[in-house]
Amino acid sequence: MKNLRVQIILGIGLLVLLSHTASAQWVQTNGPEGGRILALAMSGSNIFAGTYGGGVFLSTNNGSSWTAVNTGLTNTDVKSFAISPNETGGKNLFTGTNGGGIFLSTDNGT
C-alpha cells in the first residue's frame, strides 16, 4: 500500500511538472517599427530584423530596443539575411532585397 501511495504521489508530481513545462510563454518585444518583419538573423548578441519597406533593424539587447541600420541600403524591402565570417575576424552580413539586389555590410549595418 505504501508503494502504491508513493507511485501516485510521483505520478501527480510528474503531471504537474509536465504541465508547467508544456506551457511555454512568449513575451512581445518592443518593435522594430517600420514594416512587416520578413527576415531574422542572429550574430553573436546582435539580432537583425529585415522589414518590408523599413529596411534593417538591429537589437543588441534581446529585442528590448531596435535601431535602424540602413546606411547605404537603397532598397528597404528586405527579404533575407546570410552571415559569414570575413578575413578580419568579423562578420559579413548579406541582405537580400525584393528587386533591389544583394547588399553587404561588414560593420553590422552601420
Side-chain angles (χ1 to χ4, degrees):
M1 187 62 138
K2 184 177 180 183
N3 193 16
L4 178 61
R5 195 175 316 157
V6 170
Q7 287 178 343
I8 290 172
I9 291 172
L10 287 175
I12 291 172
L14 182 60
L15 284 174
V16 169
L17 179 65
L18 288 175
S19 67
H20 178 71
T21 308
S23 61
Q25 182 176 342
W26 289 88
V27 177
Q28 186 172 1
T29 66
N30 294 323
E33 302 300 325
R36 291 182 310 177
I37 298 167
L38 301 178
L40 287 172
M42 191 161 195
S43 177
S45 62
N46 295 328
I47 304 171
F48 297 93
T51 66
Y52 178 78
V56 178
F57 289 82
L58 167 66
S59 176
T60 58
N61 55 12
N62 287 324
S64 292
S65 61
W66 295 86
T67 303
V69 289
N70 294 317
T71 302
L73 191 65
T74 58
N75 184 321
T76 57
D77 186 3
V78 175
K79 294 284 199 170
S80 62
F81 291 114
I83 298 173
S84 69
N86 63 30
E87 59 278 350
T88 62
K91 301 282 185 181
N92 292 323
L93 174 66
F94 294 91
T95 301
T97 63
N98 186 25
I102 299 172
F103 294 83
L104 166 66
S105 174
T106 57
D107 60 1
N108 293 323
T110 58

